[in-house]
Amino acid sequence: MHSRILVLGLGALGTASASRPCAPHALPEGTWAAPKEGEVRSPCPMLNVLANHGFLPRDGKNISKTIARAAFKDGLNLDPDFSDIMFDPAVLTNPYPNQTTFDLDHLNRHNLLEHDGSLSRADAYWDDSQVFNTTVYEETLTYFQTDTVDVKSAAAARMGRVLSSSRTNPEYYLNATAESISFGETGAYILALGDFETGTVPLERVRMMFEEERLPTELGWSKGTEAATAAQLFNLTQRIIDNTEFPALRARMNGGIHAGVMAKHH
Ligand code: HEM
Ligand code: MG
């Protein structure tokens, strides 16, 4: 670990002396670094990953639609329409009106996009819902019993967290939109780090995203050769919903996801 930091440090110095003489701290895009004092992060592990690698601004601030599109393209090869469906609501979390950008910590505003029953964060009732929470995350891991996460185990983890949260948090709240978004988050990590056709992803990649907020390149992952689209995200998310063991929720969610797809394509 130390040698990696040293190598990265030297790399940054090399870049600085060649092209950016005034910014010896400016790491090249793609290089991972933990956030520094004053740099903000979010309750979204993947946005934090992209900021840690410098695909998003490392300070986590002033993210515009253009910046998000480029970050998603360069970091994960996600199509601009994939980026936009996630970016557009994010701008509304900016506490100032009529903004075209957001900061990562704006996303922590409870019950806008941030919701209860997360996979790796405690509910806002208990703790800071932005930061990684070991207890919650270990509960999630109990649903991943093999080294591959598939739509069934991913759905079980999602539902498991919703159920334990609703049983324990006296202020538990998750409306249909947030439920739908939360399934979309699960669809997104499988799509970006795994395989669309089979709906599977190696567990160790998912763990690296959550635990280190780092792209799992050293585990053999690379971004897809073809851009992942919003239509694929909807399709995969639907398959996860179809694999939940709660028929009532399945029925409710089917309406939600279809509505989303219709809005997008008609
Ligand atoms: C969670 C926003 C892109 C994966 C979240 C949360 C927010 C958010 C606010 C917190 C919800 C909660 O758990 O309370 C965004 C925005 C994005 C974006 C604004 C784009 C502009 C992505 C992408 C991926 C992703 C591209 C994966 C490829 C996830 C996952 C979670 C999550 C897996 C669940 C974390 C957990 O349950 O602990 N996102 N996200 N997100 N996001 Fe994102
Ligand atoms: Mg949450």
Side-chain angles (χ1 to χ4, degrees):
M1 186 57 81
H2 284 116
S3 63
R4 168 156 52 194
I5 290 167
L6 183 64
V7 170
L8 296 182
L10 292 173
L13 285 175
T15 310
S17 58
S19 58
R20 288 183 228 161
C22 297
H25 57 281
L27 291 169
E29 188 177 270
T31 303
W32 187 91
K36 296 195 196 64
E37 179 89 34
E39 298 183 336
V40 296
R41 290 296 181 261
S42 76
C44 174
M46 191 54 101
L47 292 181
N48 296 351
V49 167
L50 292 172
N52 291 346
H53 281 278
F55 292 114
L56 286 172
R58 289 185 189 272
D59 67 1
K61 296 178 184 168
N62 299 311
I63 298 168
S64 66
K65 183 173 277 198
T66 312
I67 289 174
R69 283 181 175 186
F72 281 17
K73 188 86 193 155
D74 296 347
L76 299 168
N77 202 9
L78 306 183
D79 202 75
D81 73 350
F82 189 139
S83 181
D84 291 357
I85 55 163
M86 296 185 141
F87 174 85
D88 291 341
V91 172
L92 303 175
T93 67
N94 190 317
Y96 300 98
N98 305 320
Q99 298 297 304
T100 54
T101 64
F102 71 95
D103 296 353
L104 290 182
D105 57 349
H106 294 160
L107 298 174
N108 200 36
R109 294 176 66 193
H110 186 47
N111 284 338
L112 287 178
L113 292 180
E114 193 285 311
H115 55 74
D116 287 340
S118 300
L119 299 172
S120 65
R121 271 69 172 163
D123 291 356
Y125 178 81
W126 301 112
D127 196 0
D128 182 346
S129 58
Q130 179 182 315
V131 298
F132 181 84
N133 180 292
T134 309
T135 313
V136 168
Y137 178 67
E138 280 176 357
E139 183 188 332
T140 295
L141 285 182
T142 63
Y143 295 94
F144 302 147
Q145 291 295 332
T146 66
D147 50 16
T148 303
V149 176
D150 60 16
V151 286
K152 205 163 183 63
S153 57
R158 191 82 283 297
M159 286 317 302
R161 282 292 305 129
V162 161
L163 284 181
S164 66
S165 212
S166 62
R167 283 197 194 108
T168 52
N169 176 356
E171 291 180 6
Y172 171 80
Y173 177 76
L174 196 70
N175 65 17
T177 310
E179 269 174 359
S180 173
I181 290 173
S182 74
F183 277 104
E185 292 156 5
T186 287
Y189 78 68
I190 298 179
L191 188 53
L193 302 179
D195 181 60
F196 168 72
E197 296 297 333
T198 57
T200 59
V201 57
L203 174 59
E204 59 179 3
R205 295 185 192 173
V206 180
R207 292 188 64 152
M208 191 169 271
M209 174 189 73
F210 276 120
E211 294 168 28
E212 298 181 42
E213 298 195 332
R214 182 193 294 270
L215 287 173
T217 317
E218 64 199 58
L219 300 175
W221 172 87
S222 56
K223 61 184 175 184
T225 46
E226 277 178 39
T229 63
Q232 286 180 315
L233 176 64
F234 285 128
N235 176 295
L236 188 46
T237 302
Q238 186 64 57
R239 280 187 273 156
I240 295 158
I241 290 168
D242 291 344
N243 274 279
T244 59
E245 288 175 8
F246 293 85
L249 178 129
R250 228 164 34 222
R252 189 145 55 105
M253 286 298 95
N254 281 345
I257 291 292
H258 285 312
V261 175
M262 302 295 269
K264 197 70 207 152
H265 296 288
H266 292 90

